[in-house]
Amino acid sequence: MKTIIVNLGENTYPIYIESALLESAGFLIRRHIPSAKKIFIVTDSNVIRHYAMSVKETIAKEGVEVTLKIIKAGEKSKNLNVLTSLYNDLVEAKITRSDAIVALGGGVVGDLAGFLASTYLRGVKFVQIPTSLLAQVDSSVGGKVAIDLPAGKNLVGSFYHPSLVIVDPTVLGTLDKRFLRDGLAEVIKYALIKDEELFNILNNVEDIEKLESSFAEIIYRCCNIKKEIVEMDERDTGERMILNFGHTIGHAIETVCGYEEYTHGEGVSIGMNAITGISEEMGLTVSGTHKKILQLLKKYELPTEMPKINKEEILSVMQLDKKNLDSNLNVVLLEKIGKAYIYKTDVTFFRGL
């Protein structure tokens, strides 16, 4: 079993990565949260069809009372109405501060259940069991939890770390190829900002099917990069911003398109391509970088073209970006493949979209 320890003082927690690890979920939760008499699982309408019931049974075998709540799959469930409903479910289940919430699903479930845990009773322990590639390599690690508002993505949130993260790469076998590619966009992001060797691996593998046998190692590499960055900048005021490469444009696309037309990874893919085109043209990125990125994104059948949507709407959403600090929009650019940096500007940077 691969283990990564995210060292954050009293917020330190482990990430466990191993095939068939869901079978040990109950044991691991009992070991790390021995006080829990009740476990409240949040999952979605996709995950319930595959392994949610077996995870519930595995946890129940440890002698705890388990409540399972199902939300509708998709970004539109990350809202105040669903959150309020879950608060009421927690009250009905009589969850106390000694108990725990488990996020069993992709990034939407992880963000929503994590924010739920961070705010209910001023903080209840929670566990991340990510079931999508995107959640396994990125959103389950680092303690960012949030819900969306109509005006933008993740505008209501907090920093709240899990007690542990349980990653089982075998569950990715149930994912539709579109959602494997969705997660692969985040993998490519990690390669671009911090790991040129991973970029070369992705380039040299024939296609996504050939890549699947390497998922455990890829997940480990991405989580380890994120761990190192989060340990340096837990609250996202400096170095951690580079994890948002492509996200300023990507989040705006998701918002303007109503979270229906594009997945998160697809938005990030378009964002990474677009921003590198701009930065290279301005002489801020090594010449030829944009072409290499475009080729890799197309190889894995990720979208790269800006959708035909109102540019002013896109720019308006960008003004609410969380990287807006001190009247500056901190955009993440590449110096070259494997090395990112933060560039202070404003939304006029994106007028050429």
Side-chain angles (χ1 to χ4, degrees):
M1 179 165 62
K2 294 179 181 293
T3 303
I4 296 172
I5 304 298
V6 184
N7 292 296
L8 295 169
E10 64 179 14
N11 293 323
T12 294
Y13 60 93
I15 306 165
Y16 297 115
I17 306 168
E18 186 176 60
S19 294
L21 194 56
L22 287 192
E23 297 171 11
S24 302
F27 166 76
L28 291 170
I29 291 169
R30 167 59 68 207
R31 187 169 84 181
H32 287 280
I33 314 176
S35 64
K37 301 293 188 295
K38 297 178 182 179
I39 299 292
F40 187 94
I41 302 174
V42 180
T43 192
D44 70 27
S45 52
N46 286 337
V47 177
I48 193 67
R49 298 201 303 265
H50 298 292
Y51 28 73
M53 296 310 297
S54 63
V55 170
K56 179 182 178 182
E57 290 168 9
T58 299
I59 295 172
K61 285 179 183 177
E62 295 297 319
V64 296
E65 182 182 329
V66 183
T67 300
L68 180 68
K69 288 296 173 180
I70 306 161
I71 65 168
K72 185 177 179 181
E75 187 75 28
K76 284 197 166 184
S77 288
K78 248 174 71 175
N79 64 60
L80 285 166
N81 291 334
V82 174
L83 183 70
T84 300
S85 177
L86 288 171
Y87 285 139
N88 291 328
D89 292 332
L90 287 170
V91 173
E92 187 176 337
K94 296 182 171 55
I95 299 298
T96 70
R97 292 185 73 182
S98 63
D99 299 321
I101 293 170
V102 171
L104 176 64
V108 169
V109 169
D111 282 359
L112 176 65
F115 186 70
L116 178 75
S118 75
T119 49
Y120 186 69
L121 299 179
R122 296 190 178 91
V124 174
K125 291 180 176 64
F126 90 108
V127 178
Q128 287 273 19
I129 307 181
T131 61
S132 69
L133 180 57
L134 187 147
Q136 290 185 351
V137 300
D138 187 69
S139 61
S140 65
V141 178
K144 278 188 177 181
V145 294
I147 59 169
D148 304 332
L149 295 180
K153 184 165 176 169
N154 298 335
L155 290 182
V156 178
S158 59
F159 291 94
Y160 194 72
H161 296 282
S163 295
L164 71 155
V165 181
I166 300 170
V167 178
D168 183 348
T170 58
V171 305
L172 301 178
T174 64
L175 285 182
D176 180 272
K177 283 291 186 287
R178 181 186 183 189
F179 292 100
L180 273 181
R181 294 187 184 98
D182 175 60
L184 198 55
E186 287 284 357
V187 172
I188 291 170
K189 176 203 76 178
Y190 278 102
L192 294 176
I193 65 169
K194 209 76 174 176
D195 194 342
E196 186 178 7
E197 183 181 349
L198 178 57
F199 180 85
N200 292 333
I201 290 170
L202 296 171
N203 249 333
N204 294 333
V205 172
E206 188 177 335
D207 53 36
I208 196 168
E209 285 74 22
K210 296 289 192 301
L211 198 63
E212 288 178 20
S213 62
S214 304
F215 275 160
E217 179 59 31
I218 287 170
I219 292 164
Y220 177 84
R221 289 180 83 124
C222 294
C223 287
N224 204 48
I225 290 170
K226 188 161 190 180
K227 155 221 160 59
E228 291 174 354
I229 292 172
V230 169
E231 286 175 351
M232 287 189 292
D233 178 21
E234 183 182 356
R235 294 282 172 166
D236 201 20
T237 57
E239 177 73 6
R240 184 168 176 170
M241 288 186 192
I242 70 168
L243 293 169
N244 289 306
F245 176 58
H247 285 58
T248 298
I249 296 173
H251 281 173
I253 290 170
E254 287 183 84
T255 301
V256 173
C257 292
Y259 306 110
E260 291 182 332
E261 189 172 346
Y262 295 94
T263 66
H264 174 69
E266 289 167 348
V268 169
S269 174
I270 295 168
M272 292 189 295
N273 180 60
I275 200 166
T276 307
I278 294 170
S279 65
E280 187 172 315
E281 191 174 305
M282 294 174 66
L284 300 170
T285 298
V286 170
S287 180
T289 303
H290 180 228
K291 182 179 178 180
K292 291 177 182 177
I293 293 173
L294 181 59
Q295 288 174 337
L296 188 62
L297 295 172
K298 286 188 172 181
K299 172 181 178 176
Y300 290 107
E301 300 177 45
L302 284 159
T304 56
E305 298 298 318
M306 284 292 295
K308 292 179 172 27
I309 49 181
N310 188 302
K311 186 169 74 174
E312 292 306 316
E313 284 187 70
I314 288 280
L315 297 176
S316 177
V317 172
M318 285 181 185
Q319 290 177 325
L320 294 173
D321 190 282
K322 295 173 293 300
K323 295 181 294 303
N324 265 313
L325 297 173
D326 300 325
S327 300
N328 291 307
L329 176 59
N330 293 277
V331 298
V332 183
L333 307 180
L334 297 183
E335 178 183 320
K336 59 181 182 178
I337 288 171
K339 188 173 183 181
Y341 67 101
I342 298 162
Y343 181 76
K344 293 185 182 299
T345 183
D346 55 40
V347 292
T348 59
F349 181 89
F350 296 100
R351 290 288 177 187
L353 285 176

